[in-house]
């Protein structure tokens, strides 16, 4: 059975997947402040809780991983730098393990089974604790020389001295403004108070000015990022997924206005902006199919 795992800064979602459909699923909170070993143990226990025998396991992570499954950095989950997570999970679970950035895995899932099936070239944008991305060109998942393609959350859109700090250590990144903490900060600056994006969305639907301002700010921020990508690649579509994308209707107007106003040529600004068909399942479904993707496998098979 193929197992897909979406390891996020807030939750770990584990699923058994057949033909692009989730047939069994387990979801647990991410013990992000308890250290990498506790998180890995939590992932292993969640897989076992599914009650199926895994043949391959794919793990989507919110950060950078090399071709051997070693993590370079997880900006929103501390303590993982240098961990050979594919090797560790392969040993515990007794099967092949592939590891990929969560945005890239989501793009694969959407390309194989979701909204991306209608496009040969598109950008996946994942909106949640952070801002991630995945790139499909000519129906091929693009990973880049070092596996770090489409790190759109860390494109710098603000170079001023007082640019907001990002979890990656830089300032002015897209994620600093469009990630969960950035949106909560913007709400506070506009006079609101909330602990979850859902609360801001509910207030926005009641036409509360500060909440509406947050989503206008989000659309403008994402629009500036997409303009830069679109001017470079001339994509067919942009597909959005992740928890914050559930409020797409609230930030779509400023997003579209920014893209149309800023793209180099009018046709670039007419790019379709679409919601993921797989939704929150995109990362899990894509991760489940990582094993069939590799020419040089990014995996570690458990030793006997």
């Amino acid at each position: 059975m193929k197992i897909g795992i979406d390891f996020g800064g807030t939750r770990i979602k584990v699923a058994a997947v057949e033909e692009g459909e989730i047939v069994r699923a387990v979801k647990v909170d991410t013990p992000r402040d308890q250290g990498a070993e506790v998180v890995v143990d939590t992932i292993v226990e969640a897989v076992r809780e599914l009650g199926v025998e895994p043949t391959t396991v794919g793990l989507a992570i919110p950060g950078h991983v090399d071709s051997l499954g070693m993590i370079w950095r997880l900006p929103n989950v501390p303590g993982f730098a240098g961990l050979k997570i594919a090797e560790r999970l392969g040993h515990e679970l007794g099967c092949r393990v592939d590891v990929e950035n969560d945005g890239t895995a989501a793009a694969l899932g959407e390309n194989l089974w979701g909204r991306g099936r209608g496009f040969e070239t598109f950008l996946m944008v994942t909106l949640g604790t952070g801002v991630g991305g995945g790139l499909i060109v000519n129906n091929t998942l693009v990973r880049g020389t070092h596996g770090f393609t489409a790190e759109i959350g860390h494109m710098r859109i603000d170079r001023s001295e007082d640019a907001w700090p990002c979890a990656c250590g830089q300032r002015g990144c897209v994620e600093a403004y469009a990630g969960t903490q950035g949106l909560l900060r913007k709400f506070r600056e506009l006079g609101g108070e909330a602990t979850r994006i859902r609360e801001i969305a509910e207030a926005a639907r009641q036409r509360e000015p500060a909440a509406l301002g947050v989503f206008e700010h989000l659309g403008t921020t994402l629009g500036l990022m997409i303009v830069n990508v679109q001017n470079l690649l001339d994509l067919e579509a942009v597909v959005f997924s992740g928890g914050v994308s559930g409020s797409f209707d609230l930030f779509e107007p400023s997003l579209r206005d920014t893209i149309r106003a800023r793209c180099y040529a009018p046709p670039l600004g007419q790019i379709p902006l679409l919601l993921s068909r797989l939704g929150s399942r995109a990362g899990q479904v894509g991760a489940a199919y990582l094993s069939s993707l590799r020419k040089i496998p990014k995996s570690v098979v458990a030793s006997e």
Side-chain angles (χ1 to χ4, degrees):
M1 177 73 72
K2 292 181 181 295
I3 305 297
I5 306 168
D6 187 353
F7 164 25
T10 304
R11 291 183 180 83
I12 298 166
K13 297 180 289 186
V14 180
V17 180
E18 289 183 347
E19 296 297 314
E21 295 291 336
I22 292 176
V23 295
R24 295 191 185 185
V26 171
K27 181 167 63 175
V28 296
D29 291 338
T30 303
R32 53 181 294 171
D33 297 322
Q34 298 182 39
E37 290 301 315
V38 173
V39 174
V40 171
D41 289 343
T42 301
I43 292 172
V44 170
E45 288 305 312
V47 172
R48 290 173 176 162
E49 190 177 335
L50 283 175
V52 300
E53 188 70 25
T55 54
T56 62
V57 172
L59 174 68
I61 69 167
H64 309 143
V65 60
D66 71 11
S67 60
L68 297 177
M70 184 181 79
I71 293 175
W72 284 89
R73 177 170 59 182
L74 266 64
N76 295 297
V77 186
F80 275 82
L83 178 66
K84 297 179 179 179
I85 195 166
E87 180 178 329
R88 169 68 190 278
L89 288 174
H91 176 75
E92 293 287 342
L93 297 172
C95 67
R96 170 186 176 131
V97 175
D98 292 270
V99 187
E100 186 55 88
N101 170 267
D102 54 1
T104 302
L108 176 62
E110 204 67 28
N111 177 243
L112 294 174
W113 302 101
R115 197 68 178 267
R117 295 182 79 171
F119 302 96
E120 292 188 357
T121 300
F122 70 91
L123 176 70
M124 188 84 190
V125 179
T126 59
L127 302 173
T129 304
V131 176
L135 181 62
I136 300 290
V137 175
N138 296 329
N139 270 327
T140 301
L141 186 68
V142 180
R143 296 196 63 253
T145 302
H146 302 98
F148 300 157
T149 294
E151 286 294 343
I152 54 175
H154 302 289
M155 294 172 62
R156 292 185 67 185
I157 58 169
D158 185 351
R159 295 184 178 275
S160 65
E161 292 184 1
D162 58 351
W164 292 4
C166 182
C168 74
Q170 302 294 325
R171 286 181 173 269
C173 297
V174 170
E175 185 172 295
Y177 296 90
T180 296
Q181 292 306 312
L183 297 177
L184 292 172
R185 174 176 175 169
K186 185 65 176 180
F187 193 44
R188 290 193 297 271
E189 286 192 351
L190 294 174
E193 190 62 46
T195 58
R196 297 189 302 170
I197 303 304
R198 182 181 300 174
E199 298 170 42
I200 305 177
E202 290 171 354
R205 298 191 193 286
Q206 297 298 317
R207 313 306 295 172
E208 199 280 317
L212 290 171
V214 168
F215 287 102
E216 181 178 1
H217 151 89
L218 173 60
T220 301
T221 299
L222 295 175
L224 292 173
M225 177 272 292
I226 290 171
V227 165
N228 288 327
V229 175
Q230 183 65 339
N231 283 345
L232 177 66
L233 297 176
D234 193 2
L235 301 165
E236 288 184 272
V238 180
V239 181
F240 294 87
S241 72
V244 178
S245 71
S247 301
F248 182 72
D249 62 307
L250 295 172
F251 64 83
E252 180 186 10
S254 59
L255 173 65
R256 289 190 182 276
D257 287 347
T258 302
I259 293 171
R260 287 170 177 163
R262 300 288 189 108
C263 275
Y264 172 72
L268 296 173
Q270 300 304 317
I271 183 171
L273 306 174
L274 309 169
L275 279 176
S276 164
R277 184 170 292 149
L278 297 178
S280 61
R281 299 170 291 149
Q284 297 159 275
V285 171
Y289 288 90
L290 288 172
S291 62
S292 60
L293 189 69
R294 304 294 179 226
K295 293 180 180 178
I296 302 175
K298 180 197 289 188
S299 64
V300 176
V301 180
S303 58
E304 297 296 331

